[in-house]
Amino acid sequence: MAMAAFRREGRRLLLSPVSYNSSVAARSAILSDSELGPMGARSVSTQAVRNRMKSVKNIQKITKAMKMVAASKLRAVQVRTENSRGFWQPFTALLGDNPSVDVKKNVIVTITSDKGLCGGINSTSVRVSKALYKLTSGPEKETKYVILGEKGKVQLVRDSKNSIEMNITELQKNPLNYTQVSVLADDILKNVEYDALRIIHNKFQSVVSFLPTVSTILSPETVEKESEAGGKLGSLDSYEIEGGDTKAEVLQNLAEFQFSCVLFNAALENACSEMGARMSAMDSSSRNAGEMLDRLTLTYNRTRQASITTELIEIISGASALTG
């Protein structure tokens, strides 16, 4: 009767004071309250541990698969990113990059991803955008957001909903190409008024390293003012314009082409950083799942061994009572 009653208990384990003190903290961290027995952390079900081990193994398989997918995409995007860096460099040599320029109308173009599980690249872009928004705001100034990516919209809409001029998602649903980005850039220029466009993105450096970057593009009117004032843009007057176009028309074409080239490179840089960050995050998740699986295996073996020991004690005690 005693043995039958014990088996109907569902193999619950009553830990001794020594084993309780050594393992209660680890078991409580691994198992939830609903998976502990009626006596709390002192009673652990082997079935609950097996279920948790199974779920952790499944999660580990998913994170390993996501790491492999991110690694394969990273190799493809990295080559295109490195090739696209030559698009905007001539504009920087000609027009310069003046992030400290003081203008009345600023448009902050924040590039983020549509999906998560990629570390802190989106939070970094949003944090830099908010800091830049504070710097460019003022009583006689106007600053607006143009957001590329779902994650940036989710974070910025909380406290800057009225400042969001445009929001574009699913930009990276298909492989990026210059034609797609140039149409997008033209759409942005038609719908916003600006003196300076500030593109915020993550520049890819390595799989585990990315650098938040701000690229500044001035409007043709601002370029003319800066050129007349001298400084970095003062050398524009030394160029001769051929073909009958005026200086304003040439600057307008340059500003549009510069924006599309910089936006194309920024989108690729951010996509490359996203894949690298996701690959690193999934690698860390897989290692954490492996460590948790080791702790669960140890807990399961201890629980099973204690259950067997308890059964032997019950048998020996019953036999001694009958022979006594």
Side-chain angles (χ1 to χ4, degrees), residues 82-136:
E82 293 172 352
N83 294 334
S84 71
R85 289 173 181 168
F87 274 55
W88 58 270
Q89 291 172 351
F91 292 103
T92 303
L94 176 64
L95 302 175
D97 190 350
N98 188 12
S100 60
V101 63
D102 188 16
V103 294
K104 291 184 178 180
K105 294 183 179 180
N106 292 276
V107 176
I108 300 174
V109 183
T110 305
I111 301 178
T112 59
S113 65
D114 290 316
K115 299 178 181 178
L117 299 177
C118 52
I121 64 168
N122 295 319
S123 299
T124 302
S125 296
V126 171
R127 187 166 58 250
V128 174
S129 299
K130 290 181 178 180
L132 190 58
Y133 183 88
K134 292 181 180 179
L135 289 174
T136 56

Side-chain angles (χ1 to χ4, degrees), residues 1-11 311 314-315:
M1 292 295 292
M3 288 297 298
F6 175 78
R7 287 170 182 168
R8 284 198 297 268
E9 287 282 330
R11 292 193 177 183
E311 288 186 9
E314 291 283 347
I315 294 171

Side-chain angles (χ1 to χ4, degrees), residues 3 56 62 65 84 88 110 117 172 205 207 216 322:
M3 288 297 298
V56 172
I62 294 171
S84 71
W88 58 270
T110 305
L117 299 177
Q172 300 172 14
Q205 291 184 319
V207 176
T216 305
L322 290 174

Side-chain angles (χ1 to χ4, degrees), residues 220-265:
E221 295 80 8
T222 307
V223 171
E224 282 196 58
K225 291 179 182 178
E226 293 289 325
S227 177
E228 293 172 357
K232 295 182 179 179
L233 298 178
S235 60
L236 284 177
D237 293 331
S238 62
Y239 291 91
E240 295 183 2
I241 299 174
E242 298 179 353
D245 293 332
T246 63
K247 182 179 179 180
E249 292 174 341
V250 172
L251 290 176
Q252 180 69 32
N253 294 333
L254 279 175
E256 293 177 0
F257 190 40
Q258 180 189 14
F259 179 52
S260 61
C261 291
V262 173
L263 186 64
F264 177 58
N265 172 255

Side-chain angles (χ1 to χ4, degrees), residues 265-284:
N265 172 255
L268 285 175
E269 292 276 3
N270 199 81
C272 202
S273 300
E274 177 191 349
M275 295 304 168
R278 181 171 289 117
M279 180 180 170
S280 178
M282 293 302 102
D283 180 59
S284 298

Side-chain angles (χ1 to χ4, degrees), residues 183-228:
V183 172
L184 175 62
D186 186 58
D187 188 33
I188 293 174
L189 292 176
K190 286 180 179 178
N191 288 278
V192 298
E193 295 181 1
Y194 73 98
D195 292 328
L197 286 163
R198 306 178 190 273
I199 303 175
I200 298 175
H201 65 282
N202 294 285
K203 185 175 181 180
F204 178 79
Q205 291 184 319
S206 66
V207 176
V208 295
S209 176
F210 54 88
L211 181 66
T213 306
V214 181
S215 301
T216 305
I217 298 166
L218 304 179
S219 66
E221 295 80 8
T222 307
V223 171
E224 282 196 58
K225 291 179 182 178
E226 293 289 325
S227 177
E228 293 172 357

